[in-house]
Every structure is written in C-alpha cells, then in structure tokens.
Amino acid sequence: SQEKSVVNKMQQKYWKTKQTLIKVTGKKEDEHVVASDADLDAKLELFHSIQRTCMELLKAIELYQKRICFLSQEENELGKFLRSQGSQDKTRAGKMMQATGKALCFSSQQRLALRAPLSRLYQEVETFRYRAISDTWLTVNRMEQYRTEYRGALLWMKDVSQELDPDLYKQMEKFRKVQAQVRHAKLNFDKLKTDVCQKVDLLGASRCNLLSHVLTTYQATLLHFWEKTSHTMAAIHESFKGYQPYEFTMLK
C-alpha cells in the first residue's frame, strides 16, 4: 500500500512537471481545456494591466513632481530677473517688467501647492499596490499551481485512457484512481479560480474608487491655482491696456 502511494505521488509529480514544461516552452495545449479557462484568462489580463499601469502611474507622478519643482524654480528666477531689471528702468516698460515679475514669482509659489495632492495620490497608489495587488497576486500564483496540477492530471488520465482495456480489472482500477485525482484537482482549481475572478473584479472597482476620490482633490487644487494666477495676470493685462509698444525701423 505504501509502495503504491509513493508510486502514485511520483506519477502525479511527473505529469505536473510535464504540464509545467508544456506551459514554459509554449507548446500547444488541448484547445477545449484552454477554452474552458477563457473567462479566467480575461480576468488575468485585466489584473496584469492593473499591475502594470499602477507602476507606470507611480513613475509618472515622480517625474511630474520633479518637473513642477523645476518649473517653479525657473519661473521664480525669471520673475526675480524681471523685477530687478524693471527697478532700473524708469519708463512704463520698467513698470510692466516689475508687475509681470511679481506675478511670475506669485505663480511659482502657488504652483508648489500641487505637490501635496500629488504626494497623497502617490502614497494611496503605492499602498494599493503593496496591499491589494500583492494579495491578489498571491492568490493568482496559488491558482496557477493548482491549474498546472489539474491539467497535469488531465494529461495523465488521457494517457491512461489510451491504453485502457475495460476487461482488465487492474487497468480499470488504475483509471478510476486517476479519475479521482482529476476530480480532486479540479475541485481545488475551481475554488481558486472563483477567488481570483472575484478578487480581480474587486481590485478594479477599488482602483476606480481610489483614483476618483484622490484625483478630485488634485483637480480642485489645480483649478484653484489657475483661478488665482489667471486673475493676477488679467489684472496686469487690464492695467497696461492701451500701451503702445516701441516701433523699430531697420535702416538698410
């Protein structure tokens, strides 16, 4: 009995390893078995898309933060330069440079307010990736192990059935054991298959909820920034209305 148990386990491992090799090498599998997992594979594609786009979003936020700082710094430098040059020019052009310089310095300070909601967005997405995506990924890995085991058992049963002689008791007994192994493997696989589909659906809904909630704050901050800066720029434009610019004539 013990010898039969050991042999049975070795055969299970053999067919599981064979199925793993088929998957790794990309060999064609039974089209009906593959088609039966079409809904699961669609969910896995969605999961990998969520996983990939979250990483891309984190990288984009990092780059955006750096560029906001750089733009704010350059804008402030330009503002300071215009103010210093405007203070030396006693004409109306000097007043324009000073007013524009102040507006640019103000805009550079206000622009930095965008960093707070972006930092919050980064933290929320990072937490989502470490917790929700990682948890789903563990379930996906367990499911893939059971799927390999189940498909390996199917290969084993196919191999046994090809040599099956219903008149021989030992062969029928062996076939029934393999059949029981297939049923057991399918039961485990189906349970994890359902878990994965439910978790991926929940993951997608959670991400939509997270982004809509956090991006609302960013959008409100961005609109507030544009309202304040546009109001300042409009005031400068209004104050210098009717100003005639210099006209140059080129002598040939």
Side-chain angles (χ1 to χ4, degrees), residues 88-99:
Q88 297 172 23
D89 192 331
K90 302 305 179 185
T91 65
R92 200 170 183 191
K95 290 181 180 178
M96 284 185 74
M97 283 194 288
Q98 281 189 309

Side-chain angles (χ1 to χ4, degrees), residues 170-228:
K170 284 186 177 181
Q171 285 193 3
M172 282 300 297
E173 188 65 24
K174 184 180 179 181
F175 179 77
R176 288 193 189 97
K177 283 182 179 179
V178 176
Q179 198 175 40
Q181 181 64 33
V182 170
R183 286 199 195 100
H184 178 69
K186 188 178 187 307
L187 195 68
N188 290 331
F189 168 60
D190 283 346
K191 183 183 180 302
L192 277 166
K193 179 180 175 180
T194 305
D195 288 350
V196 166
C197 291
Q198 288 176 348
K199 281 194 174 186
V200 172
D201 285 337
L202 185 61
L203 195 71
S206 300
R207 186 177 68 157
C208 286
N209 187 50
L210 180 148
L211 292 176
S212 62
H213 175 70
V214 182
L215 286 173
T216 301
T217 310
Y218 167 72
Q219 187 183 33
T221 308
L222 184 63
L223 286 171
H224 185 63
F225 161 71
W226 283 120
E227 282 171 3
K228 291 179 80 171

Side-chain angles (χ1 to χ4, degrees), residues 60-76 104 107-119 121 218 221-222 225-226:
I61 294 170
E62 280 185 355
L63 189 60
Y64 187 23
Q65 289 273 35
K66 288 177 183 177
R67 288 180 175 174
I68 282 176
C69 290
F70 179 74
L71 179 58
S72 178
Q73 186 180 355
E74 293 299 313
E75 197 173 28
N76 188 56
L104 287 171
S107 174
S108 70
Q109 291 168 1
Q110 294 300 312
R111 194 182 298 278
L112 292 175
L114 295 171
R115 294 193 68 200
L118 283 172
S119 296
L121 174 62
Y218 167 72
T221 308
L222 184 63
F225 161 71
W226 283 120

Side-chain angles (χ1 to χ4, degrees), residues 1-218:
S1 178
Q2 286 179 346
E3 285 177 1
K4 285 182 180 179
S5 178
V6 170
V7 170
N8 191 51
K9 285 180 180 177
M10 285 179 69
Q11 286 176 321
Q12 284 180 35
K13 286 186 178 179
Y14 168 78
W15 288 104
K16 186 178 177 181
T17 305
K18 188 168 184 177
Q19 173 59 33
T20 305
L21 284 170
I22 289 171
K23 186 178 177 183
V24 170
T25 53
K27 287 184 179 179
K28 191 177 179 181
E29 297 186 62
D30 188 288
E31 57 183 11
H32 300 293
V33 175
V34 173
S36 66
D37 289 345
D39 56 337
L40 173 63
D41 291 328
K43 294 291 181 187
L44 289 177
E45 279 186 25
L46 175 61
F47 169 69
H48 292 309
S49 172
I50 292 171
Q51 197 176 30
R52 185 182 65 257
T53 51
C54 278
M55 278 301 300
E56 289 172 356
L57 180 59
L58 289 174
K59 289 176 183 176
I61 294 170
E62 280 185 355
L63 189 60
Y64 187 23
Q65 289 273 35
K66 288 177 183 177
R67 288 180 175 174
I68 282 176
C69 290
F70 179 74
L71 179 58
S72 178
Q73 186 180 355
E74 293 299 313
E75 197 173 28
N76 188 56
E77 288 298 320
L78 176 60
K80 284 163 69 177
F81 174 77
L82 288 174
R83 286 174 66 182
S84 66
Q85 294 299 313
S87 63
Q88 297 172 23
D89 192 331
K90 302 305 179 185
T91 65
R92 200 170 183 191
K95 290 181 180 178
M96 284 185 74
M97 283 194 288
Q98 281 189 309
T100 307
K102 286 178 182 176
L104 287 171
C105 289
F106 174 76
S107 174
S108 70
Q109 291 168 1
Q110 294 300 312
R111 194 182 298 278
L112 292 175
L114 295 171
R115 294 193 68 200
L118 283 172
S119 296
R120 173 75 188 279
L121 174 62
Y122 187 93
Q123 289 169 3
E124 292 287 346
V125 174
E126 193 173 37
T127 303
F128 176 77
R129 191 171 71 88
Y130 276 125
R131 293 186 180 177
I133 291 180
S134 294
D135 178 66
T136 308
W137 182 73
L138 289 172
T139 308
V140 168
N141 276 355
R142 285 178 58 215
M143 180 277 298
E144 289 291 5
Q145 288 175 8
Y146 278 109
R147 175 151 68 171
T148 303
E149 190 175 314
Y150 169 57
R151 288 190 178 180
L154 286 175
L155 287 175
W156 187 10
M157 188 169 74
K158 183 181 177 182
D159 182 70
V160 170
S161 63
Q162 286 173 349
E163 300 175 0
L164 180 65
D165 184 352
D167 295 330
L168 293 175
Y169 174 75
K170 284 186 177 181
Q171 285 193 3
M172 282 300 297
E173 188 65 24
K174 184 180 179 181
F175 179 77
R176 288 193 189 97
K177 283 182 179 179
V178 176
Q179 198 175 40
Q181 181 64 33
V182 170
R183 286 199 195 100
H184 178 69
K186 188 178 187 307
L187 195 68
N188 290 331
F189 168 60
D190 283 346
K191 183 183 180 302
L192 277 166
K193 179 180 175 180
T194 305
D195 288 350
V196 166
C197 291
Q198 288 176 348
K199 281 194 174 186
V200 172
D201 285 337
L202 185 61
L203 195 71
S206 300
R207 186 177 68 157
C208 286
N209 187 50
L210 180 148
L211 292 176
S212 62
H213 175 70
V214 182
L215 286 173
T216 301
T217 310
Y218 167 72

